[in-house]
Every structure is written in structure tokens, then in C-alpha cells.
Amino acid sequence: MAQQQHRTITGRIRYTSKKPEILDQERGRETFVYTRHSDGKLTLRAHCEIDEPNPTVMRDIVHSLDANDRATDCFVRLTVGDEFMGAGLFVMGDGFIECESYGPSIGRVSQRTNIEGGYDIFGTHPIQADAYSTRVMDVSKGPHKRKLRCFLPSGDHRGATPPLLAEGHISLEYLGEETVTVTAGEFKCRKFRFSDEDAGFVSKDGAHPTYDVWVTADEDAIFVQGGVGGYMQTWYELVELQR
Amino acid sequence: MAETILTGKILSFCQGATAIADHVGEEDWEIVLHSDGLRTLRARCWLRQSPPVLRDIVQSVDDEFHPHDAYARIVVDGRYRGSAWYRFSDTLAECEADTVGEGRVRQSFPIRRGIRGFGTHSLQSDGWLAAGYDLSKGVGVQRFYNNLMTSTNHRGATGPMFMTTNSSLEYHGRESLDVPAGRFDCHHFSFVGTSHGYPPYHMWVTADRHYVFVRATLGGDDPQQFDLVEFNQTDA
């Protein structure tokens, strides 16, 4: 019998709040499964549930990247307030991204966007996907900061709009290495900071608040802990990991 | 949030092998029932026999198990085979696919309510197909034509896109069944009038409103048995 030629990583992230009225209370959760194939390609499946603030969000993502971490295809399905919001498929080609989507509020939509000059990440909104996107930084340069051109299936900060292609810009800073202990264990991490000082990722709530993430200092870039300030006041922690 | 969450794990065994360690395939699945009436199945399937197949499925049906939307992604022998997005209304089924073999594919088929669901090769998805049978008519055969599937390959290892079969359902009655996940009151079905050389396939699903896949047996040259080995239900 043939063996699967891939490596599997599974994890669970707990979402909590730093708002004083619900301090450290669980406000959501995310389970993820990675498969890293022998040819370097990777698929991330994530199931995310956000309980707070209302309306609740349930998101399914199946996002694949090639051996150079370039997005190849992505499926997004959203349930908001326990009602279907939309489902979309994104297919990335040479110089374009296609989107086929449907949602009660947008109807049936086909998009094809030509992209000149390339882009850095396709941001899909799971916390683990945020962590993996930090691989775009060349950590051999030491701490530094640069602006990222992003495409996303939703420009909303919670990703809670029907799947449609959106573009944004955000800064990412590599801050160095730290050892971090969370429920899932102790990990040697790299610390990064997403910031939106140029308002390149504005939604109805304004610019994206500063977002610190600690990810494992290895090729898997697994989310270990992190939090968003500003109006969001959220915290995230890896509570289970198998690899 | 969701009204009910069901989770399960199915293992497949070659004939005569039932030890957990001897399984040749596995499927982890979760079903969420939402307050808007939709139920969504997420399944990750590994077929370990050569060439190995890794399949991701996310599919939703309405409160009468009429398909609503779906996604399928297939990796065969460690290589991307394709991914497809599906949308269904009461009268139309649409597919947007990107596959290695066929390229960019766009398909649409007229449909009606009462079709035999949408077959995605997830075993739990097979369980949902049984919801197309009108149990009020008792045991017997009910015919279905031009059934939509992601692939007519026996292992679902082609496409994914729309392909059609004419297999129908025979209902054999109720049976109580013991599997590693426990004892279940089941409906026993088999697929009849199959096309594409599909071997005899019997299936047992829970006799409740969920059509949970409990067991199946597959005949032919490589007979296999599929058993539900883990199951959990959480009601809000």
C-alpha cells in the first residue's frame, strides 16, 4: 500500500478578549489542518468561529500555496449570524486572480482581476493563515519592516462580507526571536507586527489596529500567540498542536 | 451559533481486515446544522491505496437535503488534480472548476428539487444521498437519472467537475447495527442500476433526520468495508 507523501499538522487556537467587561473570556476558536506535500506545496484548511462581537461568524477556508508560497487556489465559505453569507472560489493564475462567488446579498458574481507588479500575500483571515503569511519576510535580514500588497476575499477586518476580491496594503515588521509558553507548549518564536499606519487596510471600522503575532521559528510558521489592539482588543493562543 | 454539531470518523478496511491499524482509508467529517435550515458538511478524506487520494469537501444542503453549495479539491499521488466550486438553485446547478486535466471548466445543468443529491465521494456525503429516497413508500427501488457527481471515477480521483450517473437507490428496511462508534438504528440502502462499472455498494445510515453514514460494503475486485469509528453529537 502506498503511503501518503505529505506531512500533516493540526492545531487549535483559542480566541479570547482583552475588553475589560469580558477580559480573557473565550470569544471564538479555530481548528486548522495543514498538509505539506513532498513537492513543497501546502494546503491549509481552517474552520473559524467568532462568537463576539455580534454577529457571529463561521468561516471555512481551504487555501493552497505552491512551493514558493504563492497562492494557487482558495475556497471561502461564510456563515454570519448563523445564516449563509456566501461561498467563493479564487483561482490564481499568471498575472490574474479569478473569483467565482455567490451570496444572497451579492447574487452570482464572476470576477477576473489582472494584477500588474505582483503581490505579497493572499490574506484569507484565519489566524493561522496570518501567521503563515509572515514567511514573506526575509528574517535573515534581522528586524526590519516593509509594506505588503495583499489581495483578500474580504476587505472587512473580520472577513465577514461575501467572498469578493479586494486589495489592501499593510505593513509587516519583524521584531526578532522570543521563546513563548502557551497552553500547547513552549515554542521558539519569531515576533511580527502588522500595522496600518498608512490606512491601506481601511474598513467600516477605520484603519486596521496594530496586530502582534508570535509564530514558530521554523518553516511551518505556526501561530503561537498574538493579539489585536485598538477597537478589536482580541487575543489568540495556540492550545493544541500535533505535527 | 449552530443548532447541532455532528462529528465523525470513518475508516475503510479491505475484506477480512477490521483491526483499526489495518485501515486503508479514513474520513474525518463535521456537520453543522444552522438556524437558517442549511446543514454544512466538511470532510477530509484520505484513500491510502495507490495512487493515494486526498480530498477536501465542503458541501451544504437545505432542510430537505437539496444541494445548496459545494467545494471539492483533489490531490492524487501527491499532485494537485483540481478544485471546483458548485452552486445549486431549485432549477440550476453550476460548476466552476480548475483542473489539471481539463483546464478551466464552466458547466451548468438544469435540475429540479427531488434530485438524488450531489455526490462528492465523501462517504458521509453518500449517506446524504439516501435522503433522496421517499421512505413513506417503504422498501423497494426508486429511480434517479442524470445524478450529478464530482467524478464518476470509483475513487473520485478525476475532475472535480460535473459528471453524471444513473444509479438508483434500493431500500431494504431498518436494521440495528453495531460499529466501533456504537449501536445505531439504521436504514439499509444499496445502489442499483449503477453505471461506469461501479461495484455493488450497500450502505447503512442512521434512521433519524441526519442520515449519518454508519457502514458500507463494497463488492467487486477490491471488496472493502467502511465503518463509523467515532461519532459525537452536540445540540445547542
Side-chain angles (χ1 to χ4, degrees):
Chain A
M1 184 174 68
Q3 295 298 311
Q4 292 284 341
Q5 304 103 317
H6 60 259
R7 192 162 62 91
T8 302
I9 303 167
T10 62
R12 179 178 170 86
I13 297 167
R14 180 167 57 217
Y15 301 178
T16 57
S17 179
K18 292 299 179 187
K19 294 176 181 172
E21 63 274 22
I22 51 170
L23 185 65
D24 295 333
Q25 291 182 28
E26 182 166 314
R27 51 169 289 278
R29 59 215 62 81
E30 174 176 322
T31 53
F32 64 85
V33 180
Y34 266 118
T35 47
R36 169 81 75 180
H37 294 278
S38 54
D39 59 3
K41 293 175 183 171
L42 177 138
T43 296
L44 166 67
R45 305 151 188 88
H47 178 67
C48 316
E49 298 177 9
I50 304 172
D51 304 339
E52 185 280 336
N54 266 325
T56 59
V57 178
M58 182 177 286
R59 174 175 30 247
D60 287 292
I61 296 287
V62 184
H63 182 205
S64 297
L65 302 100
D66 68 16
N68 297 312
D69 287 339
R70 308 299 304 179
T72 58
D73 55 283
C74 180
F75 171 73
V76 180
R77 191 179 194 281
L78 280 167
T79 299
V80 176
D82 211 29
E83 294 185 353
F84 174 67
M85 174 161 273
L89 176 68
F90 297 82
V91 177
M92 295 75 179
D94 188 13
F96 68 88
I97 300 176
E98 285 185 273
C99 166
E100 300 289 348
S101 186
Y102 170 75
S105 65
I106 60 170
R108 178 72 171 86
V109 176
S110 294
Q111 291 179 299
R112 180 185 168 105
T113 299
N114 291 323
I115 297 172
E116 295 182 6
Y119 59 99
D120 296 295
I121 58 175
F122 188 74
T124 57
H125 292 285
I127 297 300
Q128 175 50 41
D130 295 341
Y132 195 82
S133 70
T134 63
R135 279 173 52 93
V136 75
M137 298 293 282
D138 181 358
V139 296
S140 70
K141 293 181 178 175
H144 69 290
K145 182 176 182 177
R146 74 180 182 91
K147 185 164 283 188
L148 305 181
R149 184 186 187 195
C150 316
F151 283 89
L152 310 105
S154 167
D156 180 72
H157 293 171
R158 300 203 307 163
T161 53
L164 292 172
L165 193 59
E167 182 176 0
H169 295 81
I170 199 161
S171 295
L172 181 57
E173 184 174 8
Y174 173 51
L175 297 164
E177 293 196 343
E178 295 180 14
T179 296
V180 171
T181 301
V182 293
T183 303
E186 181 181 282
F187 299 91
K188 184 179 176 185
C189 292
R190 297 182 181 124
K191 183 180 180 183
F192 298 89
R193 175 169 294 155
F194 292 94
S195 59
D196 191 17
E197 57 270 26
D198 298 328
F201 197 170
V202 170
S203 78
K204 60 181 172 50
D205 300 299
H208 198 292
T210 299
Y211 174 22
D212 287 347
V213 297
W214 286 256
V215 307
T216 56
D218 54 41
E219 67 163 2
D220 295 330
I222 293 166
F223 182 92
V224 176
Q225 68 174 21
V228 186
Y231 78 91
M232 297 181 92
Q233 294 296 304
T234 57
W235 188 252
Y236 310 91
E237 177 186 349
L238 183 69
V239 294
E240 293 174 19
L241 179 68
Q242 284 187 313
R243 58 171 169 168
Chain B
M1 292 292 284
E3 289 186 333
T4 299
I5 299 174
L6 312 171
T7 59
K9 185 182 189 73
I10 301 165
L11 296 183
S12 58
F13 303 92
C14 293
Q15 191 173 44
T18 54
I20 295 293
D22 294 335
H23 70 275
V24 295
E26 59 194 270
E27 174 172 322
D28 293 288
W29 60 260
E30 178 189 77
I31 296 170
V32 175
L33 278 68
H34 295 285
S35 53
D36 64 358
L38 294 182
R39 59 179 73 206
T40 299
L41 165 68
R42 302 157 184 88
R44 186 163 55 93
C45 319
W46 292 10
L47 286 68
R48 293 171 176 264
Q49 290 173 299
S50 186
V53 178
L54 178 61
R55 176 172 34 250
D56 286 292
I57 297 293
V58 182
Q59 69 179 114
S60 298
V61 294
D62 67 16
D63 55 0
E64 295 180 334
F65 288 88
H66 183 77
H68 182 275
D69 63 272
Y71 165 76
R73 189 175 196 277
I74 297 168
V75 173
V76 180
D77 205 15
R79 292 181 174 82
Y80 172 74
R81 181 67 179 77
S83 59
W85 172 99
Y86 303 89
R87 182 203 165 209
F88 303 85
S89 68
D90 285 355
T91 57
L92 187 71
E94 292 180 82
C95 169
E96 299 280 352
D98 176 56
T99 78
V100 171
E102 295 84 9
R104 186 70 169 82
V105 175
R106 175 171 290 178
Q107 298 169 288
S108 62
F109 286 87
I111 59 171
R112 57 172 177 76
R113 294 191 71 81
I115 61 172
R116 198 208 65 177
F118 177 48
T120 61
H121 288 276
S122 145
L123 292 163
Q124 176 49 51
S125 165
D126 287 351
W128 279 3
L129 298 181
Y133 190 96
D134 182 357
L135 291 168
S136 71
K137 295 179 177 169
V139 298
V141 173
Q142 291 177 12
R143 297 287 176 190
F144 298 89
Y145 300 97
N146 298 318
N147 307 307
L148 294 173
M149 301 190 67
T150 56
S151 164
T152 51
N153 176 269
H154 297 178
R155 307 172 79 221
T158 56
M161 49 196 283
F162 271 142
M163 301 181 198
T164 60
T165 76
N166 289 323
S167 67
S168 297
L169 287 165
E170 180 169 6
Y171 178 49
H172 301 272
R174 289 177 81 137
E175 298 176 20
S176 184
L177 210 60
D178 289 303
V179 293
R183 171 170 288 190
F184 296 90
D185 183 24
C186 294
H187 293 303
H188 175 189
F189 291 92
S190 60
F191 290 84
V192 295
T194 54
S195 49
H196 306 282
Y198 206 82
Y201 184 41
H202 284 254
M203 176 177 72
W204 289 258
V205 299
T206 55
D208 57 15
R209 65 190 179 110
H210 298 309
Y211 290 88
V212 172
F213 179 101
V214 175
R215 169 172 286 169
T217 59
L218 183 70
D221 295 336
D222 181 22
Q224 294 193 8
Q225 178 167 310
F226 310 89
D227 278 346
L228 184 68
V229 298
E230 295 174 15
F231 177 70
N232 187 62
Q233 178 170 341
T234 304
D235 294 305

